[in-house]
Amino acid sequence: MRWRIVGIATLIIACGSTDPPATRQPIGDPAAETEAPPPPEATPSPEPAPEAVPTPEPEPNCSSDGDCHFDDPCVPATCTARDVPAQVCEEAAPVPGSCVCVAERCALRREMPDGHLISEGTCAYGAGRTGCGISMAEGTCEPGRGDEVRAGADETRPVCRCQGAPPNARCRLEWHEPVPCESERDCWFDSDGPILRPIRRPRRLRNHLFEPCVDGEVAPTCMGGFCTADPMRAYGC
């Protein structure tokens, strides 16, 4: 029996341990290891947007038509309230119209045999497109930016709009006269042109109630004793 135990022990020693061999981890090649990417650069804080600078309102330069005149009596083209030195003209150009005071600014009211002026350049409707702008001093309505007319319904005033179908739309300039009223029943709009122009309500429509999209897209009203468009009753027909 002792020899049998010794034989088994000898066999175990000769064959080695019965435990499985430990797994050896491979040693990586330092040259093959990639370096860690650098940390991302800090994103600079956005600079604050500059404050919007309001457009200064034009300074009043007249209180009546008598304050306005042409800046050059020899070549009358622009109306102003500034003093103009006296000049002797050998030959003066024809006067294109008259100088008037509108919303405390001098404006050239050109002669309009057709009741309006049409620009040569084209215009377009909508934001970011080439609309129409008016030059009060020159009495023109052309594509691009222009003066802001602050005249009310109680004043004779120029109106500049883009009218017509693209791509052949043109800028149209009209002058509108104030229409006195006592109530809405006295007011209506002229439907002959593309620009809403207040007129005295025709007798046949005195008792007629304004029908949206039948009589027009904007209802007339009496405000401050003068006919104008009702901003609360504008319909997208």
Side-chain angles (χ1 to χ4, degrees), residues 61-62 64-70 79-81 99-101 105-107:
N61 58 14
C62 63
S64 65
D65 293 349
D67 297 331
C68 302
H69 45 262
F70 288 104
C79 291
T80 181
C99 292
V100 296
C101 185
R105 300 181 63 189
C106 289

Side-chain angles (χ1 to χ4, degrees), residues 33-79:
E33 294 181 358
T34 57
E35 297 181 358
E41 297 181 359
T43 304
S45 301
E47 297 182 1
E51 296 183 1
V53 179
T55 303
E57 295 186 7
E59 296 182 1
N61 58 14
C62 63
S63 58
S64 65
D65 293 349
D67 297 331
C68 302
H69 45 262
F70 288 104
D71 61 346
D72 188 341
C74 300
V75 186
T78 303
C79 291

